[in-house]
Amino acid sequence: MSDDQTAFSSGRRQWARAAAFGGAWLAARGAQATSPEPPGTLLDVRQFGAKGDAATDDTRSIQSAIDAAAARGACVHLPPGIYRTGELKLRPHVSIVGIPAWDYHQGRGSVLRLADEHATCLLNITGAFGATVDGISLDGGHLGKTIHGIWLNKPDYGKREDTFRIERCQIANFTGDGIRLTRAWCFSIRHSMIAYNSGDGISLRGWDGFLLDNWLSGNRGAGFAAREENASCTLTGNRIEWNREGVLINGGDGYNITGNFFDRAGTCGLLATGAKQMTITGNFVKRSGKNAERGSHDSSQIRLERARGVTCCGNNLQAGRDDGGKGVWSPSYGIVYQGLQNCVISNNVLDEGAIQQLLVDLGGHGEGAVVKDNPGSLSPHAG
């Protein structure tokens, strides 16, 4: 083989590895761009004794691989398999990368399966500044009580951004939240499915987050919830479906909520209370309020209370029932609003948008409350 052919073949292998590992391999190699690749840049957990056979407790082996990667400036590779494990502690600037092959119902490919009913979480990312979790299915198995899938838990915000990334992961079947972030600061969650958890899909206390192209499905809490201090988040292109609550934001500011699909929330599709400087635009909100009492304001597509500087424009709202023509028709109301100041609710389309009333004005507004040009009709199944 000629030198040119050898170089071409080597390049193809490198790009194949990069595709399989979601770019983490190239990121690790890029750190050594001016020197030869050091041995052990990509650490296979099997070299540390992990079996991935769905029977062996692989906690110690995987933690050893993570710790070694932190010491060497390396990445951790989790080959396809089912790795039973207790709580793992991710380290700063470490990527743990698997092969994503999960589907809507179950984890496949590289799977971390919880094995300790007394754990607080499966993957603890507290203090793991600049870390990446990519291409892994985290399965809680409904084990224990209030165990989270991925947890960041800081006593204060500190002086350093977290800057972690969660990508192409499935995080499911935990008795707590899928992802619980306590005092998080700068992060992204992309192309992942957070589903079937007993708590929220994503619970946030913090700010500066990007949530892009995720499934937040079938959680017994909210798909996304920010109940304590929170700000400056972008939610774009997510499917937020069949959760007890859709998106719940209390007191947040600086949100951009654009181009999401909200479907069949048990209560409001989107509830924002005390919000400031928020854009809600181009979303499709469908058949919210599945479990809410009929006539309750929880039976609504969008609910805004004590809002300031909020635009709610260009959304499409539609009432409905369960798939297959089953279940109750909902919601009672389209948009419920109260206590607006310098807010605009306009150019939303509510064709068959609610069962009882399209717009519900609860009053208490300050100056600059504009509500106009929201065409629509009640569902013919009203009654």
Side-chain angles (χ1 to χ4, degrees), residues 143-183:
L143 197 65
K145 295 182 179 180
T146 321
I147 301 175
H148 310 303
I150 295 178
W151 194 17
L152 181 147
N153 184 31
K154 298 182 340 192
D156 56 58
Y157 286 96
K159 298 180 180 180
R160 186 176 182 183
E161 301 90 342
D162 296 293
T163 56
F164 62 83
R165 292 157 295 276
I166 299 170
E167 310 206 353
R168 306 189 305 165
C169 291
Q170 184 187 65
I171 305 166
N173 306 317
F174 287 91
T175 52
D177 301 324
I179 300 174
R180 185 174 184 85
L181 305 176
T182 305
R183 300 185 180 89

Side-chain angles (χ1 to χ4, degrees), residues 78-303:
L78 198 73
I82 299 176
Y83 301 83
R84 295 180 68 252
T85 178
E87 182 172 332
L88 297 170
K89 176 72 173 176
L90 197 57
R91 305 301 184 189
H93 308 293
V94 171
S95 296
I96 180 167
V97 181
I99 304 300
W102 44 267
D103 62 23
Y104 196 85
H105 300 285
Q106 61 182 321
R108 293 289 181 91
S110 303
V111 180
L112 291 175
R113 178 170 292 169
L114 184 66
D116 181 3
E117 64 180 358
H118 302 294
T120 57
C121 64
L122 197 162
L123 187 59
N124 192 326
I125 62 171
T126 304
F129 301 100
T132 297
V133 185
D134 185 1
I136 297 174
S137 175
L138 288 80
D139 178 16
H142 303 292
L143 197 65
K145 295 182 179 180
T146 321
I147 301 175
H148 310 303
I150 295 178
W151 194 17
L152 181 147
N153 184 31
K154 298 182 340 192
D156 56 58
Y157 286 96
K159 298 180 180 180
R160 186 176 182 183
E161 301 90 342
D162 296 293
T163 56
F164 62 83
R165 292 157 295 276
I166 299 170
E167 310 206 353
R168 306 189 305 165
C169 291
Q170 184 187 65
I171 305 166
N173 306 317
F174 287 91
T175 52
D177 301 324
I179 300 174
R180 185 174 184 85
L181 305 176
T182 305
R183 300 185 180 89
W185 178 21
C186 291
F187 62 92
S188 68
I189 302 170
R190 306 192 307 168
H191 315 309
S192 294
M193 183 176 191
I194 302 101
Y196 318 129
N197 299 292
S198 297
D200 301 322
I202 301 172
S203 176
L204 171 66
R205 181 178 183 181
W207 39 71
D208 296 346
F210 291 88
L211 285 71
L212 310 175
D213 300 327
N214 301 293
W215 277 314
L216 308 176
S217 307
N219 298 288
R220 295 182 185 176
F224 171 84
R227 298 181 178 87
E228 299 180 80
E229 71 270 12
N230 62 98
S232 304
C233 290
T234 296
L235 282 70
T236 300
N238 301 289
R239 185 175 177 91
I240 305 160
E241 57 175 2
W242 295 83
N243 304 287
R244 187 184 68 188
E245 300 166 302
V247 167
L248 171 61
I249 300 171
N250 181 35
D253 72 270
Y255 274 75
N256 185 1
I257 303 173
T258 305
N260 302 284
F261 192 117
F262 296 78
D263 190 19
R264 209 50 170 151
T267 57
C268 301
L270 168 60
L271 170 60
T273 304
K276 298 189 297 182
Q277 312 305 326
M278 179 178 291
T279 296
I280 304 166
T281 185
N283 302 285
F284 184 41
V285 189
K286 183 177 181 180
R287 53 184 183 174
S288 306
K290 169 182 169 66
N291 300 322
E293 182 179 351
R294 189 162 184 172
S296 163
H297 294 146
D298 282 335
S299 181
S300 59
Q301 309 274 30
I302 297 175
R303 186 174 165 189

Side-chain angles (χ1 to χ4, degrees), residues 45 48-51 56-66 88:
V45 296
F48 293 80
K51 301 299 183 183
T56 304
D57 186 335
D58 287 322
T59 308
R60 182 174 295 180
S61 298
I62 297 174
Q63 189 63 60
S64 295
I66 292 171
L88 297 170

